């Protein structure tokens, strides 16, 4: 039984990690719904701030699977999905179980409360990973219990807390992650490495970032733009880490409208921002290692290049490995 609960929570975790870095200022959250015969009805995640929470996405998918009511598939707005579910559920969720990596929210923010929705739909049991430390949204468990839902807390809590950590960090100070792409032979130089899908994901992360940190050598050598054009997103501010203020201002990154570009020989600027991505190779990896919370690596199934990233592998633990994409995508942290 315990194994099953961990298994279903892990499915929710795997889905949520696919959107880590994309949900800021909201947390990455995953949700899985299981039917009365143990069948998986939905595995969903929160995709982006302002869009439906993971629970709403999962309830929508599960509802469709149970009823074949196509009308709900066209609904994107959380309030509309919730309203359709509440008017049409006919107790189809009566014997279902819901697994969520984060305690369902209790407040009516940009969307109505997930805790009330789950209660009103008559879900039998709910399994929760992390407690919500965001005061505005906390106490969802209490609402659920009061309304007759059996609540099981702290399921795979350590793993769920690791998923939630970037959000917690941005609430208190700032979250810094170091992203790089490498080939299977460990090289990081020599032009485009990762797939178009991965690059689009990185552009979506740039759109969500306040600040992007890049090394002076890369700016001179690659002459990058460092915007979010692949997703029509907003380009982040740039911090060029360099001992020299001398850069050719024709380099495209200097000519993106609406952004600030700083050139500094230290990382103090990071403290003025909340969600910070460092894009670097081997030198930046070494220079920034005391300032980084999480590492994100895209491993492309290719050979080539010359410069290898000298990664001290024994000092790292994997938080998530996504093998479903064209590149292997891993989130890691220092032990
Ligand atoms: N695959 C990837 O994801 C990826 C990402 C980025 C870069 N790259 C590639 O990887 C290679 C190396 O890039 P990298 O990011 O490791 O290094 P980099 O861009 O060369 O950045 C290191 C820079 O840090 C600055 N620096 C060194 N010591 C410093 C200090 N004490 N104080 C302030 N600044 C200092 C230097 O800038 P100054 O020389 O201006 O002083 C140096 O160029 C390049 O070929 C690049 O194209 C790959």
């Amino acid at each position: 039984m315990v194994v099953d609960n961990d298994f279903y929570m892990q499915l929710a975790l795997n889905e949520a990690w696919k959107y880590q870095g994309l949900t800021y200022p909201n947390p990455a959250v995953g949700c899985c719904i299981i039917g009365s015969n143990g069948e998986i009805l939905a595995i969903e995640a929160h995709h982006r701030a302002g869009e439906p929470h993971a629970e709403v996405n999962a309830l929508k998918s599960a509802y469709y699977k149970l009823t074949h009511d196509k009308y709900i598939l066209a609904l994107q707005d959380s309030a509309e999905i919730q309203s359709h579910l509440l008017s049409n559920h006919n107790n189809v969720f009566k014997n279902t179980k819901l697994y969520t990596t984060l305690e369902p929210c209790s407040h009516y923010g940009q969307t109505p409360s997930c805790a009330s929705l789950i209660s009103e739909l008559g879900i039998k049991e709910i399994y929760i990973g992390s407690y919500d430390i965001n005061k505005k949204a906390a106490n969802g468990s209490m609402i659920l219990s009061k309304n007759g839902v059996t609540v099981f807390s702290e399921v795979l809590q350590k793993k769920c807390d690791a998923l939630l950590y970037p959000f917690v960090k941005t609430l208190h100070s700032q979250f810094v992650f170091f992203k790089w792409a490498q080939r299977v032979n460990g090289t990081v130089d020599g032009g485009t490495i990762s797939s178009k899908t991965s690059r689009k994901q990185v552009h979506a992360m740039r759109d969500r970032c306040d600040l992007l940190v890049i090394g002076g050598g890369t700016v001179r050598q690659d002459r990058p733009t460092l915007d979010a054009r692949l997703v029509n997103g907003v380009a982040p501010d740039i911090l060029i880490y360099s001992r020299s203020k001398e850069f050719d201002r024709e380099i495209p990154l200097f000519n993106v409208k609406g952004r600030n570009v700083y050139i500094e020989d230290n990382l103090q600027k990071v403290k003025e921002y909340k969600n910070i991505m460092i894009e670097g190779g081997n030198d930046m990896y070494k220079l920034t290692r005391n300032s980084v919370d999480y590492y994100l690596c895209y491993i492309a199934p290719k050979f080539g290049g010359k410069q290898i990233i000298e990664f001290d592998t024994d000092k790292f633990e994997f938080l998530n490995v996504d093998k479903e994409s064209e590149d292997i995508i891993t989130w890691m942290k220092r032990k």
Side-chain angles (χ1 to χ4, degrees), residues 180-181 188 215 217-218 220-222 242-243 280-284 307:
W180 83 99
V188 294
T218 300
R220 269 186 231 100
Q221 193 181 316
D222 294 359
S242 171
R243 291 157 296 196
N282 194 43
D283 292 341
M284 281 300 277
Q307 288 176 39

Side-chain angles (χ1 to χ4, degrees), residues 183-242:
R183 300 175 189 84
V184 283
N185 56 336
T187 55
V188 294
D189 61 327
T192 305
I193 295 175
S194 52
S195 69
K196 180 90 183 260
T197 311
S198 298
R199 281 182 282 127
K200 270 183 145 174
Q201 193 181 67
V202 171
H203 278 226
M205 283 183 198
R206 286 179 184 166
D207 170 73
R208 298 284 85 202
C209 276
D210 306 311
L211 182 70
L212 195 163
V213 183
I214 190 89
T218 300
V219 172
R220 269 186 231 100
Q221 193 181 316
D222 294 359
R223 302 178 67 82
T225 311
L226 300 176
D227 63 3
R229 64 194 174 281
L230 293 181
V231 295
N232 292 321
V234 178
D237 287 353
I238 298 284
L239 169 61
I240 301 173
Y241 188 56
S242 171

